[in-house]
Amino acid sequence: MARLREAQKEMTRKLLLDAGVELFVSKGYAATTVDDIASAAGTTRVTFYAYFPSKVELMKALVTERLNAALDRVPSPEHGSTARDLVSVVEDGTHERIRDWLAEISLRWPVIRPYTTAAFEAAAVDPEIRELLGAWLNEAIGDVEEGLNRADRFPAATRHFRSVIAITELDHVARHWVAGHWGVQREEMLDVLTESWLGTIGRR
């Protein structure tokens, strides 16, 4: 019975998260209410609050749980979360490793886009989400910087800024590119993005 109750709790939480991200994308974060999410999940406002103190906390869970899991980000004592493969790729810094990593991560964009779309919209209207999203992006920037530090590549004073450029560029492309957008197909997009990363953070 205890296992059944735990499974039911996990399922209810999953349904609330699923309903939340779907509504945040289709209706908009600001326009979506707790009642909307509870109704879409087939439950009640009371049940929603048993799992999440607020809509903000549900949005936080979407970022820290769903988005991090989709990107293989794991807890890190240094800076919140880390993607170890990204650190390794940047440390290597070769054209082949960078392009292979970008090609692999680009296959996940359709999965992560609902979460990033919802998070950026939420950040525009909610200071707590804005702070969370900023910290999350800084964690990714920290991965790139760590890779550069390990490789001892480029002047130390420029490594953080180079990391900011690389992640900001990747985030924008990941959130907006679809086949043919900006006049490029997938392979062309990857070629250009790789060239850009190679110039900014790779081996020359």
Side-chain angles (χ1 to χ4, degrees):
M1 287 298 292
R3 288 183 180 178
L4 178 60
R5 284 194 297 271
E6 190 61 31
Q8 289 174 333
K9 287 176 65 176
E10 289 179 7
M11 178 57 69
T12 299
R13 192 173 189 277
K14 179 182 182 300
L15 289 171
L16 288 167
L17 288 168
D18 289 345
V21 69
E22 184 176 333
L23 285 168
F24 291 159
V25 172
S26 64
K27 188 175 181 177
Y29 176 82
T32 299
T33 66
V34 166
D35 285 334
D36 291 335
I37 298 170
S39 177
T43 187
T44 66
R45 166 191 281 261
V46 172
T47 299
F48 177 96
Y49 285 121
Y51 289 85
F52 300 101
S54 65
K55 182 174 73 170
V56 171
E57 293 303 316
L58 184 143
M59 184 70 248
K60 287 181 179 179
L62 290 172
V63 172
T64 59
E65 297 174 24
R66 295 279 183 90
L67 188 53
N68 276 349
L71 292 171
D72 294 331
R73 300 195 64 80
V74 297
S76 163
E78 288 81 15
H79 47 90
S81 72
T82 186
R84 295 191 181 104
D85 56 342
L86 174 56
V87 176
S88 175
V89 164
V90 175
E91 182 180 6
D92 180 88
T94 61
H95 181 281
E96 182 180 10
R97 285 290 302 280
I98 289 173
R99 195 185 191 286
D100 285 350
W101 185 83
L102 289 172
E104 194 279 329
I105 206 72
S106 71
L107 297 175
R108 306 185 198 186
W109 292 350
V111 174
I112 68 172
R113 192 167 289 161
Y115 301 103
T116 54
T117 297
F120 272 86
E121 182 177 336
V125 297
D126 192 293
E128 284 188 67
I129 302 301
R130 185 158 56 248
E131 182 177 352
L132 173 71
L133 185 59
W136 183 81
L137 288 170
N138 282 333
E139 291 169 6
I141 290 166
D143 285 341
V144 177
E145 188 173 3
E146 182 179 343
L148 291 177
N149 288 338
R150 288 184 182 183
D152 196 23
R153 192 160 61 247
F154 300 112
T158 72
R159 291 172 191 163
H160 180 73
F161 182 51
R162 288 176 179 277
S163 303
V164 170
I165 292 172
I167 290 300
T168 301
E169 177 181 55
L170 178 62
D171 169 69
H172 187 82
V173 175
R175 284 189 293 120
H176 298 287
W177 183 84
V178 292
H181 192 40
W182 301 318
V184 292
Q185 299 300 322
R186 182 172 183 271
E187 294 303 311
E188 295 168 312
M189 175 273 293
L190 288 170
D191 286 342
V192 175
L193 190 55
T194 300
E195 288 173 15
S196 182
W197 265 43
L198 198 62
T200 304
I201 61 172
R203 294 189 185 279
R204 293 176 175 175

